Amino acid sequence: MWKRAFSTAAVGAAAAVFRRPCLSGTRRASTLSSAVNSMLLRSLKEHYLEVAKMTMPPKIGPPPPFAIVKGALDSHGPVLKRSYGDEEISIYVTRLVSGMDDESSEIDQLFVHVDVSKPGQEESLIFLCGLYEDALGIHSVSMRPKDHDAAYIVLPTQYVGPTFEELDERTRDAFHNYLEERGINESLFKFLQAWLYVKDHRNLVRWFKTMGLFIDGKKPPQDDA
């Protein structure tokens, strides 16, 4: 819809400009560019204001003893962390379908990456899971090198083991129990779902704002959220 409206208005603006024979080619191009920029800025501002007014879900906290990682909304790093004995457990999350369609769009399935690390160990135990409101499913289990500077998963350079489906039922159940003991289950869904709504909204607002500032030739503030 945006592209069609943009194209129609641009053609109209171009026709109005080129009907003026007294304008030089440079002035015609400059006038057309100014008209297009103005129209685009107006559209971006309208959408920015519309998105800014969207209602966010009620604020909820994660199940204890998980704690929210500071700055997680503005990074691709872990969202939640907790300690379990000598283990440090980090949880990353994304939605399986990216983007925000509208205010009523649902995030009903999450992709969760669980990182379990221990002091003195060169590798972490990694679970890739699908998280739903009433269940958690494990897609894969592997050992991967630790990399605390990485924004997300460090790709393995060696054999990572069989697929989860290839494991016998008793082993699969044991891995599910392993996560359950550490509080990694469907109880995390409501918080992570709400957190993703906020992050998606924050990113969308920032996108319209920074896009408008760029078109307008302005530099966004360094501390712009």
Side-chain angles (χ1 to χ4, degrees):
M1 183 181 69
W2 296 2
K3 184 176 181 181
R4 185 168 60 251
F6 175 83
S7 300
T8 302
V11 170
V17 169
F18 285 108
R19 280 197 296 268
R20 300 174 183 173
C22 60
L23 293 176
S24 67
T26 301
R27 287 189 62 192
R28 286 199 298 267
S30 177
T31 304
L32 176 58
S33 177
S34 177
V36 170
N37 285 359
S38 177
M39 178 178 52
L40 181 54
L41 282 170
R42 185 165 58 250
S43 178
L44 288 170
K45 182 177 180 180
E46 289 173 357
H47 286 289
Y48 169 80
L49 294 174
E50 180 181 352
V51 171
K53 294 177 182 177
M54 289 172 61
T55 303
M56 291 293 95
K59 187 175 181 179
I60 59 175
F66 286 98
I68 303 173
V69 177
K70 185 178 180 179
L73 281 172
D74 297 308
S75 76
H76 298 290
V79 177
L80 297 174
K81 282 195 174 186
R82 67 158 295 184
S83 296
Y84 184 84
D86 65 343
E87 300 172 355
E88 181 177 80
I89 300 173
S90 303
I91 295 180
Y92 303 70
V93 64
T94 186
R95 58 193 296 173
L96 293 182
V97 179
S98 61
M100 286 180 69
D101 298 324
D102 52 52
E103 188 174 354
S104 62
S105 63
E106 292 292 333
I107 303 177
D108 55 7
Q109 48 186 342
L110 308 176
F111 184 63
V112 175
H113 157 210
V114 181
D115 182 308
V116 182
S117 64
K118 294 184 179 184
Q121 299 279 0
E122 295 298 323
E123 295 184 311
S124 295
L125 179 59
I126 303 296
F127 292 86
L128 302 182
C129 308
L131 180 62
Y132 307 86
E133 188 172 7
D134 58 354
L136 179 140
I138 301 175
H139 295 310
S140 69
V141 185
S142 62
M143 298 296 298
R144 307 206 181 186
K146 288 182 181 178
D147 189 342
H148 299 293
D149 295 326
Y152 209 60
I153 302 171
V154 179
L155 295 177
T157 58
Q158 57 188 18
Y159 177 66
V160 295
T163 64
F164 194 71
E165 291 77 11
E166 291 175 333
L167 299 173
D168 62 85
E169 184 176 359
R170 185 176 62 178
T171 304
R172 293 198 303 268
D173 289 344
F175 273 123
H176 277 284
N177 291 335
Y178 181 91
L179 291 180
E180 180 70 35
E181 282 187 4
R182 289 154 179 78
I184 302 163
N185 53 40
E186 62 272 15
S187 67
L188 294 169
F189 181 84
K190 287 295 185 184
F191 167 78
L192 293 176
Q193 180 191 51
W195 186 89
L196 276 180
Y197 273 122
V198 173
K199 185 176 179 70
D200 282 352
H201 177 264
R202 189 183 182 98
N203 287 338
L204 195 55
V205 168
R206 182 186 289 113
W207 187 87
F208 282 117
K209 185 174 183 178
T210 56
M211 189 72 66
L213 289 171
F214 180 87
I215 298 297
D216 203 24
K218 297 178 181 178
K219 187 176 181 180
Q222 292 297 317
D223 58 350
D224 180 39

